[in-house]
Amino acid sequence: MVSKAVRARLTVATAVAVAAALLTPAQGASAPGGTSRDTLDVTGTVLVVAGEGGDPDRYSLLLPSGTEVELADGFTAEPLSDFTGTLAAPGTGEGRTLTGPARAGALSRAAADGTPLEVVSARVASPGPSAGPTNHATYVARVTNFGAVGLTDAQILDGLAGAQQYWVRESGGQIPSWTTASPVVPVASTAGSTASGCGLGAGGADFGAIAASVGSQAFPGVDFSGSSPNHLVVVVPDGCGGTVGGRARLGSSFVSGGPVILQAEARADFRIVLEHEYGHNVSLEHANTAAAEYGNLYEVMGAGPSGFANPVLGTVYRWEQGITAPGEVVDGTAGGTWTLASRGATSGLRSVTFIDPDTGLRHFVDLRNGGGGDAGTYYTTSSSTVRYGQTYSPGIVVERENEEAGAFLRKPDASNDGALQRDEAWTNSGTLTVRAAAAPP
């Protein structure tokens, strides 16, 4: 459904007004170390590969030497944070703090073997504020020793160009241009294999090693850590990695780059998945529901079904990234009635925001009617097929913040289609109600 100047009215009624309480990202954690274990004092940059298909995010540490070591479960920090701390050396020891060649050897072996190192203690400094509008560049390679890649180089480059223009459009001016800086370079990876999932399967266990191998061979000296706006796209055969079509390293803002590993899926799906993975590079987390990770199909950071365009970026993400325009969002915490333009439009009032007194979390109300940039998206089909525990249709959607840069879809009280229709409502425990007073035709 594509509509011009279609608007819908909604009412927010609340008995309580509270102050804004945006999520505060967690700082580093520590794990206990025993006196029988040797330790290593290190500094570095925290790297995070976004979890896909239900597996958790993977944390690693990029050392000043350029070596990357995996970190054991239990540690969390914001992507690209500065790390100063102590790691437990693999195996048993004598309670020593390793220095010199012993320290270098332990780190080298851990990096080569992919052994996760336990964080004993850490001080972590979050990345500084965004540097402002930044031009991005993508370097692309095709892995030659994992099997046949079923896309031509021209098809790969066309997919890259489309995905990059999506983010130029959706970044609110923070990415003025995003170009492809290389041809498709054929590379034999010295890390990973088809059996281990090409960096996509096995929870992304080989992601960092494959990205480092391909990047250093094809584009020596180019920084793909995420600290620069350089992106590395590594194309592997369709189906390698099972149901995980792509993985990406998480960035900290719209100035971040980083690596992506992507299956060579047919048709437009290559571009559609890449738009999602680029979202991780520029810091966005998944759009979830109560039933499923990335089950919010009203967002690019959900998991859109094959063959459909991605929706425009919802207000929850635009707010988190600081790119909402004057007049785009109104504060509805005190209650009221508003007429919304389509979220797919480029002007007008497009969202109402409020704080849920039950949770202290900020919520956003958008009209998704297939207008503007939402043309061709899955929800416009009003399909009766249940995906991720629900159906999806045009209407008014209620989302809340989730993690430090994610979204969570709230379902209507009395339906399972994800969006409010005329006279339908979403309520919290009883102190606040969002109701669609008039729905679009």
Side-chain angles (χ1 to χ4, degrees):
M1 177 191 299
V2 180
S3 306
K4 285 188 176 180
V6 174
R7 295 169 178 262
R9 287 178 49 208
L10 81 127
T11 299
V12 176
T14 177
V16 183
V18 297
L22 293 176
L23 291 176
T24 301
Q27 297 296 317
S30 62
T35 57
S36 63
R37 302 184 70 179
D38 295 335
T39 58
L40 312 151
D41 292 333
V42 297
T43 61
T45 302
V46 176
L47 304 180
V48 186
V49 176
E52 301 285 355
D55 51 63
D57 293 347
R58 296 184 70 93
Y59 289 81
S60 61
L61 194 63
L62 181 64
L63 305 176
S65 64
T67 299
E68 181 181 346
V69 293
E70 295 284 327
L71 299 179
D73 293 345
F75 172 82
T76 61
E78 288 190 69
L80 303 178
S81 295
D82 292 331
F83 177 104
T84 301
T86 300
L87 306 178
T92 58
E94 301 174 1
R96 302 170 298 165
T97 299
L98 300 183
T99 60
R103 174 184 178 276
L107 290 171
S108 179
R109 288 190 297 275
D113 297 341
T115 303
L117 301 183
E118 180 184 349
V119 177
V120 178
S121 62
R123 287 186 293 109
V124 177
S126 300
S130 171
T134 303
N135 294 326
H136 288 237
T138 295
Y139 299 74
V140 58
R142 170 173 46 84
V143 177
T144 59
N145 57 325
F146 288 171
V149 170
L151 296 177
T152 66
D153 288 357
Q155 289 171 322
I156 290 171
L157 292 173
D158 182 65
L160 263 64
Q164 289 155 195
Q165 286 309 302
Y166 174 91
W167 284 107
V168 170
R169 186 190 76 195
E170 295 301 315
S171 68
Q174 294 304 297
I175 304 177
S177 72
W178 191 329
T179 56
T180 303
S182 77
V184 180
V185 178
V187 178
S189 176
T190 60
S193 65
T194 55
S196 61
C198 300
L200 299 174
D206 292 333
F207 179 95
I210 291 173
S213 172
V214 171
S216 62
Q217 290 183 75
F219 312 109
V222 180
D223 177 16
F224 298 119
S225 67
S227 297
S228 78
N230 296 323
H231 302 257
L232 171 66
V233 173
V234 178
V235 183
V236 300
D238 188 12
C240 194
T243 60
V244 178
R247 281 191 190 273
R249 183 172 292 157
L250 275 169
S252 62
S253 71
F254 274 136
V255 305
S256 300
V260 172
I261 299 179
L262 196 67
Q263 290 185 19
E265 295 191 55
R267 305 188 310 277
D269 292 338
F270 178 81
R271 173 177 59 82
I272 298 305
V273 176
L274 182 56
E275 288 170 1
H276 175 103
E277 301 306 334
Y278 275 157
H280 287 314
N281 276 176
V282 297
S283 81
L284 275 58
E285 298 271 11
H286 283 147
N288 301 332
T289 67
E293 181 188 18
Y294 45 60
N296 179 357
L297 304 191
Y298 296 98
E299 296 284 0
V300 62
M301 299 313 294
S306 176
F308 293 91
N310 279 315
V312 303
L313 203 60
T315 309
V316 57
Y317 286 108
R318 291 175 60 81
W319 182 282
E320 289 166 345
Q321 298 299 320
I323 60 171
T324 55
E328 179 180 340
V329 185
V330 66
D331 185 356
T333 302
T337 300
W338 297 269
T339 299
L340 294 181
S342 171
R343 181 60 268 179
T346 57
S347 62
L349 176 62
R350 283 154 282 167
S351 189
V352 176
T353 183
F354 61 90
I355 303 296
D356 177 11
D358 283 356
T359 63
L361 297 178
R362 185 171 291 277
H363 285 55
F364 300 84
V365 184
D366 291 353
L367 169 61
R368 294 286 190 172
N369 67 350
D374 272 6
T377 56
Y378 176 74
Y379 77 81
T380 64
T381 67
S382 298
S383 173
S384 60
T385 301
V386 175
R387 296 180 184 271
Y388 301 102
Q390 65 179 79
T391 57
Y392 303 82
S393 63
I396 289 173
V397 300
V398 182
E399 297 172 284
R400 66 161 170 80
E401 57 186 357
N402 193 48
E403 303 175 298
E404 58 268 24
F408 189 96
L409 179 67
R410 310 306 297 263
K411 286 175 57 176
D413 293 342
S415 70
N416 196 41
D417 66 2
L420 303 179
Q421 310 304 315
R422 184 183 180 91
D423 294 328
E424 288 187 334
W426 171 83
T427 59
N428 64 0
S429 63
T431 60
L432 183 147
T433 298
V434 178
R435 183 177 302 278

